[in-house]
C-alpha cells in the first residue's frame, strides 16, 4: 500500500539525489548540501509513510478480530 508520504518521500529522494550530484559536478557545495538535506527529508517521509501503513494495517486487523 502506498500513501502520500511514501510518494512524496520518493520524490524528495530523487530530487535531492539530482541536486547533490549537480552540486558535486559543478563544485557547488551549497547545492550539494541542499540535495543531501532534501534526500534526508525524503527518507523521513518514506519512514513516516511506512509507519502510517503499518498502523493502518494493525487497526484493520484489530477491527477484523471482532
Amino acid at each position: 500500500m502506498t500513501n502520500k508520504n511514501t510518494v512524496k518521500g520518493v520524490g524528495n529522494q530523487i530530487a535531492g539525489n539530482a541536486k547533490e550530484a549537480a552540486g558535486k559536478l559543478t563544485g557547488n557545495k551549497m547545492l550539494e548540501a541542499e540535495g543531501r538535506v532534501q534526500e534526508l527529508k525524503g527518507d523521513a517521509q518514506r519512514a513516516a509513510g511506512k509507519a502510517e501503513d503499518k498502523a493502518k494495517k494493525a487497526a484493520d486487523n484489530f477491527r477484523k478480530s471482532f
Side-chain angles (χ1 to χ4, degrees):
M1 176 166 274
T2 305
N3 59 41
K4 288 181 186 180
N5 279 326
T6 304
V7 173
K8 286 182 180 182
V10 170
N12 273 319
Q13 285 177 317
I14 292 168
N17 194 331
K19 279 184 184 179
E20 186 177 6
K24 284 181 182 178
L25 187 64
T26 62
N28 184 336
K29 296 290 183 191
M30 187 65 151
L31 185 59
E32 189 177 338
E34 283 178 23
R36 186 65 190 135
V37 168
Q38 191 167 0
E39 281 183 77
L40 292 171
K41 179 181 177 183
D43 291 345
Q45 283 176 315
R46 285 187 70 192
K50 285 182 181 180
E52 188 178 327
D53 285 343
K54 284 184 180 182
K56 185 179 182 320
K57 186 176 180 179
D60 289 344
N61 288 338
F62 180 75
R63 279 189 222 115
K64 288 178 185 177
S65 68
F66 288 98

